[in-house]
Amino acid sequence: MTPYAKKAVFPGSFDPFTNGHLDILKRALRIFDYVTIGVLANSSKQPLFTVEERVAIIQQVCVELPGVSVRSFSGLLVDFARAEKCDIIVRGLRAISDYDYEAQMALINRRLGESIETCFLVAREEYSYVSSTLIKQIANLRGDVAQFVPPAVARALAEKFG
Ligand code: ADP
């Protein structure tokens, strides 16, 4: 039995945070007492929002969710989890196309950190097609993203795209 079983890290780019991410977070909170959202700073993707912006937006979204903290990290996820005194990683699975990459990451992370476990939560059907990339494209074309993202994210996107 691990001493950290009640705490999990939910890592990602969150560029931006969507209702799909929020749903995974809320469901993770039914399993874990504390969830730290780890916002990846050194992604190979060129982000729309800076890591500081992403952390600030997610903090606004989660302000009324007890047990949630939001932090940025760079470097290895296993090192971030270790620093958070946590050895469980939560990830969302949308489609079978997510599986290959996610399974590879889970296996690598277990090799890098012996006690690390990855816990997958299957996306809810209504969010399974929601991705940060699509949300950015819709917002860029001045489409309405309100049904896909929390209000704080919709406001941030509107500001970004003027
Ligand atoms: P990354 O760049 O690390 O994949 P993302 O921000 O795209 O970061 O995703 C973070 C996690 O949330 C991943 O596990 C991803 O599969 C999951 N996720 C993304 N969108 C959704 C969604 N609509 N529903 C459920 N899970 C999702």
Side-chain angles (χ1 to χ4, degrees):
M1 189 59 181
T2 141
Y4 307 136
K6 291 282 184 184
K7 190 173 174 183
V9 163
F10 179 29
S13 311
F14 306 117
D15 185 43
F17 197 78
T18 68
N19 285 342
H21 294 132
L22 184 58
D23 180 59
I24 295 290
L25 173 67
K26 286 181 174 168
R27 287 163 55 203
L29 286 167
R30 296 182 59 218
I31 307 170
F32 304 100
D33 296 327
Y34 302 98
V35 176
T36 302
I37 300 179
V39 184
L40 184 62
N42 60 343
S43 169
S44 51
K45 306 168 198 166
Q46 181 63 39
L48 174 66
F49 292 98
T50 66
V51 72
E52 293 80 13
E53 287 172 329
R54 283 177 276 154
V55 167
I57 294 166
I58 300 170
Q59 273 166 343
Q60 280 183 55
V61 173
C62 299
V63 75
E64 280 171 12
L65 288 179
V68 177
S69 46
V70 190
R71 291 196 210 340
S72 63
F73 76 102
S74 51
L76 286 177
L77 173 56
V78 290
D79 291 337
F80 175 64
R82 222 174 263 138
E84 289 294 312
K85 301 206 178 337
C86 173
D87 52 13
I88 302 181
I89 294 167
V90 168
R91 295 281 289 177
L93 278 183
R94 279 165 294 186
I96 201 74
S97 52
D98 278 344
Y99 177 81
D100 274 351
Y101 174 73
E102 293 292 341
Q104 203 180 356
M105 289 298 292
L107 290 168
I108 283 275
N109 284 329
R110 199 160 58 206
R111 287 306 284 253
L112 292 172
E114 190 66 6
S115 61
I116 294 277
E117 286 294 351
T118 305
C119 167
F120 292 111
L121 295 179
V122 174
R124 219 174 269 283
E125 299 93 292
E126 61 261 46
Y127 301 131
S128 61
Y129 57 89
V130 175
S131 73
S132 299
T133 304
L134 276 181
I135 298 303
K136 283 181 280 194
Q137 285 173 2
I138 296 168
N140 189 21
L141 298 169
R142 307 296 183 271
D144 183 10
V145 292
Q147 57 186 311
F148 306 118
V149 296
V153 177
R155 281 194 300 272
L157 281 166
E159 273 172 35
K160 213 30 122 181
F161 291 112

